[in-house]
Amino acid sequence: MIRPLLMCFVFCVVSGSSKPTKKDRVHHDEPLSPLEHNDQESFDFDHEAFLGHDEAGAFTELSPEESKRDSGDFIVEKIDADENDLVTEELKAWIAHVQRKHIYDTVETHWKDFDKNGDGRVSWDEYRDFTYSHFLGTAEFFFKPIDDIMKFSLMDERRFKVADRNGDQLADKDELTAFLHPEEFGHMKDIVVQETIEDMDKNKDGFLSLDEYIGDVYSPELGEEEPEWVDQERSQFAEHRDQNKDGKLDQKEVLDWIFPDVDHVALEAQHLIHEADVDQDGKLTKEEILDSYSVFVGSQVTNFGEALRHDEF
């Protein structure tokens, strides 16, 4: 596993490619499910958003009675974190957790590579030694000078400290996951913005000018006609990115650019609550969830019903 900052540097230096390409700095959310969201046909999309693909598939093997029973147990054990028999913001947190499962699985796979002393925590030294030792040992051969790798190491150390929320200078699995995938965590977005600006800000004034913005996405080759999309990017900068029209992007404007504010997880949580919240108090009781269990989980009968609907066509 190579950190993205180091990976980018290695690729750019080794490949030596200068062919202009359109970079995409925007962090796009993965869809909650590859299925179409059409509740008139089925709640399959909601099942996968709520449970993840594998767990949703497991429920379809159960009878309706088993599915209803297990969904109630699932809610109590996995989602109701404060044990007050109500589900509110916990639903959003749960769906976000489900959507990050593949990330957590990746960290779990590599955990022992980082946690060399087996104490259940990863120190910065452990991470740095595993990730950078090979490159530091061969830097004079591949890279001249070594300063660039040291710069990336210092940037990663700064990000590590931001991910270390309790300040004990050790990362548990949640903190290491936030460090390795900061774009997935709200409290890490500011450091992603800072890294983006530092990478693009050639004159080091803390802002992104139009030239720096365009220079990041397009480097003309000698005699090349400028592609039409480059002028479109200039318009994007002037009309949408530069909100206060001062000719440059500040941290808030970069944040709004690279992290579009459509929160699909929040929208799905609101949708599920709307479907099951009988008394419309914005909270779900276990009874409300059980009464609407087919919104959250599938069963053999829901699958059979969907098959019948398709057969009718």
Side-chain angles (χ1 to χ4, degrees), residues 10-11 36-37 53 66 73 75 100 128 134 163 176 185 195 198 207-208 223 233 236 250 263 270 285 299 311:
V10 172
F11 177 80
E36 181 183 2
H37 196 177
H53 175 75
E66 292 171 324
D73 294 338
I75 299 298
R100 295 172 183 153
R128 180 199 59 205
H134 170 72
L176 189 67
F185 296 83
E195 291 172 356
E198 290 174 353
F207 300 92
L208 298 183
E233 285 293 339
Q236 283 288 323
D250 57 27
D263 191 339
Q270 292 169 9
T285 64
S299 69
D311 288 345

Side-chain angles (χ1 to χ4, degrees), residues 206-271:
F207 300 92
L208 298 183
S209 67
L210 175 59
D211 288 343
E212 289 167 336
Y213 177 85
I214 294 298
D216 186 62
V217 296
Y218 176 66
S219 298
E221 292 185 338
L222 185 63
E224 180 192 34
E225 182 178 350
E226 183 178 280
E228 183 178 338
W229 62 261
V230 176
D231 196 51
Q232 294 172 352
E233 285 293 339
R234 290 193 182 92
S235 297
Q236 283 288 323
F237 181 96
E239 297 172 15
H240 302 290
R241 312 280 186 242
D242 182 17
Q243 298 169 17
N244 61 7
K245 309 305 178 186
D246 64 353
K248 57 190 178 184
L249 304 187
D250 57 27
Q251 288 200 349
K252 174 62 167 59
E253 290 166 330
V254 173
L255 174 68
D256 291 343
W257 163 37
I258 67 175
F259 288 109
D261 59 359
V262 178
D263 191 339
H264 298 287
V265 170
L267 291 175
E268 177 63 16
Q270 292 169 9
H271 168 66

Side-chain angles (χ1 to χ4, degrees), residues 140-156:
E140 288 187 358
F141 177 77
F142 284 108
F143 317 110
K144 296 181 181 179
I146 197 175
D147 293 352
D148 287 309
I149 295 180
M150 296 302 297
K151 179 183 73 174
F152 294 139
S153 177
L154 290 172
M155 292 174 67
D156 270 352

Side-chain angles (χ1 to χ4, degrees), residues 3-133:
R3 286 291 296 111
L5 291 173
L6 189 58
M7 181 184 294
C8 178
F9 179 72
V10 172
F11 177 80
C12 292
V13 171
V14 174
S15 69
S17 174
S18 60
K19 182 68 176 177
T21 57
K22 185 178 180 180
K23 295 180 184 177
D24 189 0
R25 295 277 185 175
V26 178
H27 296 278
H28 301 281
D29 291 336
E30 293 291 328
L32 302 184
S33 166
L35 302 175
E36 181 183 2
H37 196 177
N38 185 350
D39 291 345
Q40 292 182 342
E41 287 290 323
S42 76
F43 289 108
D44 289 349
F45 178 96
D46 300 302
H47 298 164
E48 290 205 356
F50 179 66
L51 296 169
H53 175 75
D54 293 340
E55 192 76 31
F59 268 90
T60 63
E61 302 299 320
L62 303 178
S63 68
E65 294 77 18
E66 292 171 324
S67 182
K68 183 175 183 178
R69 180 200 65 212
D70 288 359
S71 66
D73 294 338
F74 187 91
I75 299 298
V76 171
E77 293 176 8
K78 297 289 184 69
I79 301 178
D80 184 19
D82 58 10
E83 300 181 352
N84 67 348
D85 295 325
L86 294 172
V87 173
T88 54
E89 284 297 312
E90 295 155 315
L91 184 57
K92 177 183 174 182
W94 169 256
I95 295 173
H97 175 80
V98 168
Q99 296 303 314
R100 295 172 183 153
K101 183 179 184 301
H102 66 287
I103 297 174
Y104 287 114
D105 289 346
T106 300
V107 172
E108 186 70 38
T109 299
H110 293 278
W111 180 256
K112 290 183 179 179
D113 294 331
F114 299 126
D115 183 18
K116 291 299 184 182
N117 63 8
D119 66 350
R121 299 288 188 273
V122 173
S123 68
W124 166 249
D125 289 345
E126 285 177 315
Y127 175 81
R128 180 199 59 205
D129 291 347
F130 174 76
T131 304
Y132 285 90
S133 58

